[in-house]
Amino acid sequence: MELVRLKLVTIVAEAVLEHRLVEEIKRLGAKGYTLVDARGEGSRGLRTMDWEGKNIRLETIVSEEVALRILARLQEAYFPHYAVVAFVENVEVVRGDKYV
Amino acid sequence: MELVRLKLVTIVAEAVLEHRLVEEIKRLGAKGYTLVDARGEGSRGLRTMDWEGKNIRLETIVSEEVALRILARLQEAYFPHYAVVAFVENVEVVRGDKYV
Amino acid sequence: MELVRLKLVTIVAEAVLEHRLVEEIKRLGAKGYTLVDARGEGSRGLRTMDWEGKNIRLETIVSEEVALRILARLQEAYFPHYAVVAFVENVEVVRGDKYV
C-alpha cells in the first residue's frame, strides 16, 4: 500500500466564522474538510483579550503549497481581528490524489 | 519519563458506518478509540460524488502494523463504496503498552 | 511566513474531569485549549477495566517543556486512577509567541 505525505491544517475559530472559513479554504485549494463543534479559551490576536465561547474546529488535508496559502490568508485577514488558532501537521494518506 | 512512538489513525466517515468501523478496528487490533460527531464535505470515492452530512471522526492509537492493517481494510472494503477519509500521524504516548 | 515548531498535547478523559484538567494545564503553562465532547472505549489504567461513556477531548499547543510537564502530571495524578489517554504531536504554527 502506497502512503502519500500531505499536510493536515487545523483551524480553531469562533463559530460565526464557519461559513467564511470554509469558503476561504475551498477557494485556496482544499477539496474537503471536517468540522466539529468545540469550545475553549485563548488569547485574542494582538489585543490579548481573553475569549471563551462557541468555536469550530475545522480540519483539511491539503498539499504543502495549499497549507501555506491557507496560513498566509489567515495571517493577513483573520489573525489581526479574530480569535483564530491554526496549526499544521504531517499526515500520511492512502489515495493522495483525492486531496490535491 | 519514557515516551513511546505510536501511530494515530483518524477515520472520517458517514455516521451510519460508526458501528461497523468500530468493530473493524477492534478486530484488527485497536485497544480503544475516541469518537466525535462531525460534519463536512468531500469527494466520494471513485464516483467523485459530492457529499455533505452527518459524519463521525474516529481516532485510535495503534502500532504501525495495526495502522497499516486498518488502512488496507479501508482501502479494500470502504474507499470504493463510501465517503471515507483516513490519515495517519506519528504520536508519542506515555504507557505505550496500553495500546498494543 | 515563519512557522514555529511546537507540541500539540491531546488528552481524552471522562467528562467529569474537564474542570480539573483545564485548571491543571493552565497551571502548568498552557495559554489556551480547545475542547470537544467525545465518546469512546479504552482500558482503564492499571485495572484494565473497560469503560465507555461521556468523554472530553482536550487539546493544547505548548512548548516541549510544558508538554512534558503536563504528561508528568497526568502520569502522577491521573493515569493510576482515571481513564485518561494522552498523546503528543509535532505541529507548526504561525505566531508561535501566542503559545509560550
Side-chain angles (χ1 to χ4, degrees), chain C residues 26-77:
Chain C
K26 286 161 83 171
R27 188 178 56 81
L28 296 169
K31 302 296 184 215
Y33 63 89
T34 299
L35 225 147
V36 302
D37 295 318
R39 53 194 188 280
E41 276 181 84
S43 58
R44 183 179 174 133
L46 296 177
R47 293 175 235 168
T48 65
M49 207 176 81
D50 284 332
W51 58 281
E52 183 167 358
K54 218 177 163 234
N55 297 334
I56 50 157
R57 184 187 190 275
L58 170 63
E59 67 190 358
T60 183
I61 296 172
V62 293
S63 67
E64 180 162 22
E65 192 194 328
V66 172
L68 292 175
R69 255 188 255 154
I70 292 173
L71 291 182
R73 178 67 185 148
L74 292 174
Q75 185 165 37
E76 170 198 55

Side-chain angles (χ1 to χ4, degrees), chain C residues 2-35:
Chain C
E2 201 198 342
L3 294 181
V4 177
R5 206 162 212 215
L6 289 169
K7 296 292 181 182
L8 176 69
V9 178
T10 302
I11 303 169
V12 180
E14 301 164 65
V16 291
L17 293 176
E18 173 174 334
H19 183 71
R20 279 180 59 185
L21 288 172
V22 165
E23 290 309 306
E24 292 274 13
I25 65 167
K26 286 161 83 171
R27 188 178 56 81
L28 296 169
K31 302 296 184 215
Y33 63 89
T34 299
L35 225 147

Side-chain angles (χ1 to χ4, degrees), chain A residues 20-37:
Chain A
R20 280 179 58 186
L21 287 172
V22 165
E23 290 310 305
E24 292 275 13
I25 65 168
K26 286 161 84 172
R27 187 177 57 82
L28 296 169
K31 302 295 185 217
Y33 63 89
T34 300
L35 225 147
V36 302
D37 294 318

Side-chain angles (χ1 to χ4, degrees), chain B residues 74-92:
Chain B
L74 292 174
Q75 185 165 38
E76 171 198 54
Y78 291 85
F79 287 163
H81 309 295
Y82 300 102
V84 174
V85 168
F87 52 91
V88 180
E89 289 163 278
N90 293 316
V91 294
E92 289 180 305

